[in-house]
Amino acid sequence: MDFREVTNIEYMNQGDFACPGCGAGLSMRHALKVLGDNTVIVMPASCWSIISGVFPTAALQVPLMHVPFATAAAVASGVKNAFRKKGQEDVNVVCWAGDGGTFDIGLQALSGAAERKEDIIYVCYDNEAYMNTGIQRSSATPPGAWTTTTPTGNPLIYEKKDMFNIVVSHNPAYVATSTIAYPDDFYQKFEKAKNAKGFRFIHLLSACPPGWRIDSKDSVKAMRLAVESGVFVLMEKEQGKPVKVTYKPKGLVPVREYLLFQGRYKHLNEDTVNEIQIMINEHLMSLGLL
Amino acid sequence: MNKDMMLGSEAVALGVKLSRPKVVSAYPITPQTHIIERLSEMVDSGELDASFIRVESELSAISAVLGASQAGVRAFTATSSHGLALMHEVLHWIAGSRLPVVLVNANRAIGSPWNIWTDQTDSMSQRDLGWMQVYCETAQEALDTVLQAFYVAEKVLLPIMVMIDGFILSHTLEEVIIPSQKQADAFLPIYEPEYFLDVDNPLSFGNAAKGDVFYYLREDMQHSMEASFGVIREAHNKFDEIFGRKYDIVERYYLDDAEIVFVIAGALTGTIRVAVDKLRALGIKAGLLKIRYFRPFPSDIVKNLLKSKEHVVVLNRSVSFGSAGQLAQEIKNALYYEPSKPKIYDYILSLGGKDVFVEDVVNLAKNVGNLKTSKILWRE
Amino acid sequence: MESVDYQNVISDKDIRRFPISITTTEVNLTGSWRFYKPVFKEKISPCSVGCPANTNIPKYIHYLLKNDMDKAAEILRRENPFPATCGRVCPHFCQSKCNRKDYDGAVEIKQIERFVGDYALKVPPKKVKVLSNKKVAIVGGGPAGLSCAYFLALSGYRVDVFEKERFLGGLLVYGIPDYRLPKEIPIKEIENILEVGNINVNVGVNVNREKIEELKKEYNAVFVALGLSIDKVPGDVVVDNKRVFSGYELLKEIKVNGNVYLDGDSISVLGGGNVAFDIARSIRRLGKDVNIICMETLETSPAFEDEKKEAIEEGIKVIDSRFLQDLEFRGDGLHLQLRGVDKVLDNYEPVLNDYIEGIDTDILIVAIGRKREESILGTEGVFFGGDFYNGAKTVIEAIASGKKVAFEIVAKLEGKEFKLMNDDDQFFRSTDDFDEYKVIPFERINLNYFSEQEPIKLSKLAANERVNNFNEVVQKPSLEKILREAKRCFSCGVCNECKTCWFFCPDMCIDVHEGVNFDYSFCKGCGVCSEECPRGVIEMVEDK
């Protein structure tokens, strides 16, 4: 991607409260560059509840409403229906939720909105734990990962919930996984989501330097390694078409390299790393990538 | 004048239709179901130009209404009992957001054990939200109150919960005068909020607020509640002008010279009216004070009406376990600073739909000299 | 809270009622969170270390890609006044150092330089006023002398150039055949050098030791860059200009007249360097059968690889590993007795073997190298440079030598000490256009921002299209090809405004314009910009 061709218009203000190197702040910045100012954000409890600024200041230049943790997709349904009734059908109504608000407490509302084919875009920025409350395990926490509620590591039998396929099973307009470490992929998918009509879901892997126990400078690198090692697969599913892997790593990086540069995995022994590698291989085989 | 026989639920649906909401969202629960069935029919037939969002839970129903209201349109939902409890978190959020949502709650007991019959524990449990609460006695009142609720909520900028007792009002046929849409439109102006989700004026709603800020936002909610009596009276006056029906914050029945006063809210008021009539026929100076607005609670009005009475029997249809009936608490509270006050009896009249017969109430009045004021009174 | 002027947009009553945020988070100066801060530091690309003139190659490629050709030409000419010439004849040491070499093949810098150099032909440099009364004499108007004159003139010194031939340019004008370097190219570049002003040219002046002594008195400094003026000739061979010729002299004649008369059809050229191949290929173009006799094997002979390959394509026979032992005049021709050579020692002495062969030829052209006029070397108090001082080297080395001497002279005249920018790499640029002397290694390149792509292929005239004319062999590359190739440049250590840092800054604290500028009021110091920069121009340094 030629970054010189990316718009200079920013829809975020400086001075937000994201931690240094936060993947969620960066993802929002670019998502809005694609979505533009005809966009409304609905935000359940998440790191972004803080990032967005303290009353009466705001980090976003588009309308934003904060909502209770479990309600994002339902609130967005109400917002979209209101806009439709006001003759503003074209407004992008976007849920911007973390993994907790999506995989766990917000899943029911999400499923409801997806099933009703609500005309909204649901973005989950997945930093793989309850980071805002201090790094507690969620159902998006990968096997093996340390969190404050899995102090000896998330048990390997707790496989990360397969959100992509859960949403796909509702047969919505568009479902994708992406990460800002792959700018082309990210921009194309947000563009597709923006142009599709109906329920759209984008699952973004989003590095959290404090929660992943990595140096803030390695934030983008971590997201990239997750993809290059096959831990996170970039995919999409357009309604009526088969699931498509949108990026195939050239040569798979051993998962060891991804895991062991992160503090949250540093307790893993060689056997556990190998077991995780096998789990990843099996997943990749099921996708025809191995 | 156009009249019809209809269920209390249907009267509510009619009131909603006349209020022209743009978004309705609800999840079915007995005994609220007739309301949303009727609204669904109205939306599907085009009678009501609104989106009906058929959500997967009450939590999502109230959430969808939150979103719609924040987006700047009139929004409505109806629920009952467990459903209201499930909405609890979002009810707080709506009040804090100062959104004029109207919710109709068909009062019903909350389990365990399962019980679908009426009591007011569900709505009394939600009295501290920052929502206004109105309790209705008749189908006509329910219809009229829905229209008034939108009027008041949109001026006070707090949401309103309108209560109808499950079954005894929701499922009971009554004669209802049907207002015209023209009258309704004359009464209820087009909803034009000042602040809403607007891509041309992008604001952030609900960003984290520090304690000092949060404190005065909450203080303003209380001030708005206190100041709302003026708006409510204004609504009642305007309603009377257009529809020719009078409403008040509280309602008096044989109260002026009464020595024994029953205080009650909701549809059982009708039963008590009959009891009062019987007691008067027996020469006992009984009277009735019906509480319409429980939030804001009209303490001054209540105080002035009751301070010189001898016996005040509060007929609660809910209880705050370990304390008292919620209605009784308020009555006692209103009279606390009076130098001479009546004897106030905290009587738990009915829970979970336990039948109330006129004779029970008559006997209660006859026996009032033996009642104790020191503890909650339960029926035998 | 108190500092926020929200009352312009919302009443005091409303701000105490609605939880609405209406002002910007820009009141939070998040720069105060920072422990490290990013700084913009341009460094050194390995290619520019490889280039004897230390040209800032990534920088001019950047401006080429920005379609700012004037700026590209200016940057190129900051270090080398002969880019169009070098784009044709330079062996491009830069390419052998290119970091891309180990990835998918070095960038074809030569073609890019030629392209920008050709543009520069049409854009003369700006005139410079004389800034000093001091004068410098330059003896020798070849690439070293002219380069020195150019940089002195740019520095505001008056320069007098003394050239023995009728035209300036030396080897560039007289010694490299047109099919490699059309003569109008260096001539135009020389004209451009003179456009700077301050340069007075004296042609047809033979400068000997006595004359140099005079110049020393008359001028504040004297630079001697006479090149190699004397042909080397083996043992008892005599250049008679009938059967035996000097390769260099013949080249000059062909360059000037476009032709030369040789009485015979079978020609042998003695020598394995570029001059030998140049004269062989020139004579071939005049319709003769030509062979080359050299001591080295074809592979180890010192001529450029392209020269050898193209010569063979053109039908020139190379008789390698042979030493001319004896030469005999037989009738109208010559009989050459050749000995086999096992190897050639470092001092150019062959180790002979027993093999003997005889060949007949009409004419022998001697092109085994040239040497300098030793009598001048001893002169004290003058600066020496170019081939005269360094021996037979490339054009770019002569240019670099002239440039360094120019700045040595400037330093001397200003009473300062001349210093290289880096001694280990003998690095020197006319402009200090980097922030830290650090050569970017391949490992520092963030390969995630590149994908493999073959270098462009040169387009050359086919052998049969070129053997009967002196047309340039390497064809002008298309703009499209050049831009595609230019985009392959890693731009090691030099910002090319790719905006990767800008894209990945979570805090919108980066502005990329003529380098990278940071908004330290809000920069949280995460370091993503530095880590993701594909080319190592952002460093994190401790802050507070």
Side-chain angles (χ1 to χ4, degrees), chain C residues 260-517:
Chain C
V260 71
Y261 175 73
L262 293 174
D263 180 18
D265 292 325
S266 156
I267 318 284
S268 290
V269 175
L270 189 65
N274 283 329
V275 175
F277 278 84
D278 283 345
I279 187 62
R281 295 177 65 192
S282 295
I283 301 293
R284 176 84 186 115
R285 279 164 170 73
L286 298 175
K288 312 283 187 189
D289 279 339
V290 185
N291 59 51
I292 289 176
I293 300 161
C294 62
M295 295 196 295
E296 302 87 353
T297 61
L298 179 61
E299 292 72 34
T300 57
S301 65
F304 297 156
E305 292 308 312
D306 281 353
E307 282 260 55
K308 296 180 207 172
K309 191 167 156 260
E310 288 166 20
I312 289 163
E313 285 168 5
E314 286 160 12
I316 292 165
K317 190 179 165 200
V318 177
I319 304 164
D320 61 349
S321 300
R322 295 290 179 271
F323 174 74
L324 177 64
Q325 181 158 286
D326 197 16
L327 173 150
E328 202 181 309
F329 289 85
R330 280 192 187 170
D332 286 345
L334 296 168
H335 181 75
L336 311 178
Q337 193 184 79
L338 307 177
R339 273 286 290 277
V341 177
D342 276 343
K343 63 173 178 179
V344 181
L345 301 174
D346 288 344
N347 60 0
Y348 302 112
E349 285 298 321
V351 177
L352 302 180
N353 57 30
D354 293 342
Y355 181 82
I356 294 182
E357 107 183 275
I359 65 165
D360 293 315
T361 187
D362 295 334
I363 285 172
L364 178 69
I365 298 173
V366 181
I368 59 169
R370 283 162 72 83
K371 56 189 176 186
R372 63 186 166 197
E373 179 54 62
E374 293 288 338
S375 65
I376 290 172
L377 194 62
T379 318
E380 301 241 322
V382 300
F383 293 87
F384 295 105
D387 281 1
F388 179 81
Y389 189 68
N390 300 316
K393 298 270 178 164
T394 58
V395 172
I396 190 65
E397 285 163 297
I399 293 165
S401 159
K403 178 171 76 173
K404 264 179 210 166
V405 169
F407 286 95
E408 279 180 61
I409 290 172
V410 169
K412 185 191 161 197
L413 297 184
E414 290 175 1
K416 292 176 189 159
E417 197 193 344
F418 173 76
K419 276 174 90 173
L420 293 171
M421 287 161 174
N422 182 276
D423 290 330
D424 292 345
D425 293 334
Q426 290 287 296
F427 192 94
F428 181 79
R429 271 186 199 156
S430 78
T431 316
D432 182 5
D433 59 358
F434 56 93
D435 303 301
E436 186 185 356
Y437 193 88
K438 197 167 164 189
V439 182
I440 296 289
F442 179 67
E443 296 70 40
R444 181 64 187 84
I445 300 299
N446 191 337
L447 293 175
N448 295 298
Y449 298 100
F450 301 98
S451 52
E452 287 180 25
Q453 196 189 351
E454 294 268 290
I456 51 167
K457 298 251 177 336
L458 297 190
S459 132
K460 291 182 183 179
L461 289 180
N464 63 352
E465 291 171 319
R466 63 191 194 225
V467 284
N468 54 3
N469 62 58
F470 282 84
N471 294 343
E472 199 169 0
V473 172
V474 180
Q475 297 296 291
K476 184 181 175 166
S478 67
L479 172 66
E480 187 200 343
K481 262 185 159 181
I482 286 297
L483 293 181
R484 203 182 79 201
E485 189 62 15
K487 279 182 193 157
R488 292 181 66 241
C489 177
F490 283 157
S491 199
C492 310
V494 176
C495 179
N496 66 358
E497 300 180 19
C498 69
K499 293 183 79 176
T500 305
C501 53
W502 169 83
F503 186 90
F504 285 111
C505 176
D507 302 308
M508 294 156 290
C509 289
I510 290 181
D511 175 46
V512 178
H513 180 72
E514 301 291 329
V516 181
N517 309 293

Side-chain angles (χ1 to χ4, degrees), chain A residues 3-4 7-8 12-18 21 26 29-30 33 55-59 180 183 216-217 224, chain C residues 19-23 25-26 28 33 448-449 496-500 502-505 508 519 522 524 526 532:
Chain A
F3 298 130
R4 286 168 284 217
T7 177
N8 276 319
M12 249 177 92
N13 296 323
Q14 290 174 305
D16 66 67
F17 284 160
L26 183 60
R29 178 181 167 222
H30 289 290
K33 277 175 184 280
F55 177 95
T57 71
I180 191 58
S216 58
K217 76 178 167 53
R224 189 160 52 225
Chain C
I20 298 175
S21 289
I22 205 152
T23 59
T25 45
E26 282 160 15
N28 312 320
W33 301 4
N448 295 298
Y449 298 100
N496 66 358
E497 300 180 19
C498 69
K499 293 183 79 176
T500 305
W502 169 83
F503 186 90
F504 285 111
C505 176
M508 294 156 290
D519 183 347
F522 294 100
K524 295 168 186 164
C526 68
E532 292 307 313

